[in-house]
Amino acid sequence: DQQVKQNSPSLSVQEGRISILNCDYTNSMFDYFLWYKKYPAEGPTFLISISSIKDKNEDGRFTVFLNKSAKHLSLHIVPSQPGDSAVYFCAARLSGGSNYKLTFGKGTLLTVNP
Amino acid sequence: KAGVTQTPRYLIKTRGQQVTLSCSPISGHRSVSWYQQTPGQGLQFLFEYFSETQRNKGNFPGRFSGRQFSNSRSEMNVSTLELGDSALYLCASSWSSNGPGNTIYFGEGSWLTVV
């Protein structure tokens, strides 16, 4: 049973436009959500996170939105740059759980075309 | 400072063999966790060690085991390898126990191919 779902395996956008990556979850006990970015042959790197008590967190070009009632979060990248091309993983942590036992989605491959 | 270091980066093993992977966390980090990444299942949590003790365990068979040393370095071992164990094994470290916003940092991973 996949508790964190990224239903789009891939996404292609033009440089300068907005990229929107989506993530859905099923477990209402998740209280903290993270996005990781992964380049080929490298480990995932932390991008941005959001606590369940918030509905938005912004860091530069990256904004994460959380809709708890819909159990949905999204990552917005504005403006998109070719260097943003990577696999993006959504991850969630259970309330009261360990920061290290994260449940990941299967990832979305973002391609930003020049 | 140096990041999370994993060795070896690539290896090929035969079915039935066993393999040991090594992870050196970021200096000062005491928690080490392991994840398996496969195309079909994405990233799945294996286990986490803190101060040489396993604190959390994922849903993997007993063939997967690990340990942590007093210097926080960690190893994971897979015995009786199966073809389905072919994956990227990622190690991640963090400096302390739980806390909001405490981030884990991943290494580049060890690519294991079982033939």
Side-chain angles (χ1 to χ4, degrees):
Chain A
D1 176 32
Q2 201 181 350
Q3 299 185 61
V4 177
K5 298 178 185 178
Q6 293 177 256
N7 292 319
S8 298
S10 63
L11 174 68
S12 182
V13 300
Q14 284 300 119
E15 181 178 6
R17 305 293 288 269
I18 183 172
S19 296
I20 300 176
L21 296 103
N22 294 303
C23 178
D24 296 296
Y25 61 96
T26 57
N27 193 333
S28 57
M29 296 302 291
F30 287 138
D31 72 343
Y32 195 72
F33 304 89
L34 308 91
W35 285 92
Y36 280 82
K37 173 179 169 181
K38 185 179 185 299
Y39 293 116
E42 293 185 13
T45 54
F46 171 75
L47 199 55
I48 192 169
S49 62
I50 187 167
S51 166
S52 60
I53 62 173
K54 295 186 175 182
D55 55 17
K56 177 183 175 181
N57 188 26
E58 193 171 353
D59 184 1
R61 297 185 297 114
F62 302 90
T63 303
V64 56
F65 295 91
L66 175 63
N67 182 334
K68 282 183 65 179
S69 60
K71 294 190 179 67
H72 177 83
L73 64 155
S74 60
L75 173 68
H76 292 211
I77 306 174
V78 184
S80 301
Q81 299 173 354
D84 296 330
S85 297
V87 177
Y88 288 78
F89 290 97
C90 170
R93 184 194 73 180
L94 283 170
S95 173
S98 166
N99 281 326
Y100 319 112
K101 188 175 182 180
L102 299 175
T103 302
F104 282 84
K106 294 187 179 182
T108 297
L109 173 62
L110 172 66
T111 302
V112 180
N113 301 302
Chain B
K1 54 185 176 183
V4 178
T5 305
Q6 292 187 245
T7 57
R9 289 294 315 280
Y10 305 92
L11 67 165
I12 300 174
K13 289 286 187 177
T14 305
R15 243 182 337 175
Q17 286 187 312
Q18 67 93 27
V19 66
T20 299
L21 308 176
S22 180
C23 173
S24 293
I26 293 172
S27 178
H29 285 194
R30 295 172 62 193
S31 169
V32 173
S33 51
W34 290 87
Y35 285 81
Q36 181 197 63
Q37 185 188 3
T38 57
Q41 297 299 321
L43 276 135
Q44 292 186 291
F45 175 81
L46 278 155
F47 28 65
E48 183 240 343
Y49 288 86
F50 184 83
S51 293
E52 303 177 64
T53 301
Q54 186 181 90
R55 288 200 303 190
N56 287 284
K57 192 175 189 308
N59 203 20
F60 279 81
R63 300 185 297 108
F64 292 80
S65 62
R67 59 177 175 168
Q68 187 181 35
F69 302 95
S70 58
N71 61 358
S72 294
R73 191 177 69 85
S74 176
E75 288 181 347
M76 69 161 281
N77 184 279
V78 188
S79 62
T80 320
L81 283 165
E82 300 176 0
L83 296 178
D85 297 333
S86 296
L88 175 66
Y89 289 88
L90 290 159
C91 171
S93 77
S94 185
W95 69 277
S96 82
S97 58
N98 296 320
N102 198 9
T103 304
I104 63 173
Y105 298 88
F106 284 91
E108 294 182 329
S110 293
W111 285 96
L112 170 65
T113 301
V114 182
V115 297

